[in-house]
Amino acid sequence: MGRIKNRLLAKIFTRFPFLLRGYFQRRGLRGDSAIPWTPLKKDLRDCKVAIVTTAGVHLKSQQPFDMKDKKGDPSFREIPANIPTSELMITHDYYDHKDADKDINIVFPIDRLKEMREAGEIKAVADINIGFMGHIDDRLLSVLINKTAPEAGKRLKAQGIDIVILTPG
Amino acid sequence: MCNRSVALIQREIEKIGISTIGISIVRRFTEEIRPPRAVFLKWPLGHPLGEPFKARQHTTILRRSFNAIKEIKEPGAIIDLPYKWKSKDWEDQS
């Protein structure tokens, strides 16, 4: 029953995103005062780019995100660039991903990045991109901030990524 | 919620020393979490790059996002992109 309710709410919030403001206002979490800052020192055409999404994207062969825990799931999945998008799927009950199921590029623009690489607009696409499921709440937010997000960042850094583009669901 | 957690993740990645740009659909959350850089689109949830199979639309949003990395000089700034949802401007493409 919980999943049906979440999906219904997701349809409403997808259509009327401003309603989310009230829904989440009390839980609002402000970033601490110092905003991290890493200026880009290269031209775009010399940059290796990765996607990090919270839209719930993962490989069909990977374990889906946990939809039973109401607090969410702060884990992430590594998504290789060199697979067809037909091998990807979305597990996320908190937004309506009907359109993204048709064309995953609207949340995970991997084909578009490959086209930009072919056109010479960027140097490379990350071999491994990162998929989170963005519904994360309460105590699991601290797992995200202190553990899984920094771990994802380290794996991107180890690949020599210059730019990360982040997309919500 | 995606639009909040994505900005929290962005901050952690930038902290590690990678330049980041976030696409925001719920401006209020982005203002609260304050990731280093964002572009905002008043589009429905689940559609940060736009409509299915509108490749030129997706690429336009990507280019504007990458440009924003250089354009934004002040940490926490949000650039409002001028594209309306389901605008007819995109209808001349497949």
Side-chain angles (χ1 to χ4, degrees):
Chain A
M1 279 306 286
R3 289 193 72 172
I4 293 168
K5 181 185 152 209
N6 289 336
R7 283 175 182 161
L8 188 67
L9 281 173
K11 279 192 192 299
I12 294 167
F13 288 143
T14 298
R15 183 72 188 82
F16 306 106
F18 62 89
L19 290 175
L20 279 167
R21 292 175 190 172
Y23 190 76
F24 285 101
Q25 205 155 28
R26 288 188 310 279
R27 308 170 185 198
L29 190 82
R30 197 182 164 87
D32 62 47
S33 55
I35 301 174
W37 190 247
T38 303
L40 184 62
K41 291 176 181 145
K42 294 178 178 176
D43 286 338
L44 183 59
R45 64 174 179 273
D46 297 321
C47 287
K48 187 171 183 179
V49 180
I51 307 169
V52 172
T53 183
T54 53
V57 178
H58 60 89
L59 289 172
K60 287 177 180 169
S61 59
Q62 289 170 330
Q63 186 181 353
F65 293 102
D66 183 355
M67 286 297 124
K68 288 182 186 148
D69 190 336
K70 285 181 183 164
K71 302 279 189 287
D73 181 349
S75 68
F76 63 85
R77 306 287 180 270
E78 293 187 312
I79 309 169
N82 65 344
I83 45 106
T85 53
S86 59
E87 288 186 32
L88 298 173
M89 64 175 287
I90 293 172
T91 301
H92 198 318
D93 290 352
Y94 298 87
Y95 75 98
D96 184 357
H97 45 83
K98 190 167 74 269
D99 280 350
D101 291 336
K102 291 181 205 159
D103 179 8
I104 205 142
N105 283 286
I106 70 170
V107 293
F108 185 73
I110 191 73
D111 292 331
R112 300 294 91 79
L113 282 188
K114 288 177 183 174
E115 289 160 10
M116 290 181 80
R117 178 190 62 199
E118 297 314 309
E121 290 183 67
I122 60 173
K123 185 181 172 194
V125 180
D127 295 327
I128 301 292
N129 299 273
I130 303 284
F132 281 92
M133 190 285 293
H135 178 78
I136 303 160
D137 218 344
D138 293 351
R139 65 182 164 78
L140 293 181
L141 270 176
S142 69
V143 177
L144 177 76
I145 294 166
N146 297 312
K147 193 170 169 228
T148 53
E151 176 59 30
K154 274 182 211 158
R155 294 192 194 185
L156 294 166
K157 189 76 182 162
Q159 291 184 67
I161 301 300
D162 301 297
I163 293 174
V164 169
I165 179 154
L166 294 103
T167 61
Chain B
M1 195 279 149
C2 272
N3 280 265
R4 190 178 53 165
S5 56
V6 76
L8 291 167
I9 294 165
Q10 183 178 348
R11 292 175 60 103
E12 296 306 316
I13 293 171
E14 183 98 8
K15 230 181 249 179
I16 283 166
I18 302 174
S19 304
T20 61
I21 180 73
I23 300 178
S24 167
I25 301 291
V26 184
R27 205 179 196 285
R28 170 71 175 267
F29 287 161
T30 310
E31 289 167 1
E32 282 175 5
I33 307 289
R34 299 197 295 166
R37 305 169 202 81
V39 293
F40 172 72
L41 287 154
K42 204 172 175 181
W43 285 2
L45 294 183
H47 302 75
L49 278 302
E51 299 163 72
F53 309 112
K54 298 219 166 175
R56 191 164 62 87
Q57 188 181 42
H58 311 161
T59 305
T60 300
I61 302 306
L62 285 175
R63 286 188 185 129
R64 292 297 299 261
S65 300
F66 294 143
N67 287 343
I69 298 175
K70 295 269 182 170
E71 286 166 33
I72 292 174
K73 308 286 185 200
E74 179 199 352
I78 302 171
I79 292 180
D80 293 281
L81 294 183
Y83 308 110
K84 290 204 167 79
W85 180 241
K86 291 202 168 171
S87 159
K88 287 184 176 145
D89 296 346
W90 307 110
E91 285 185 0
D92 59 345
Q93 58 171 310
S94 57

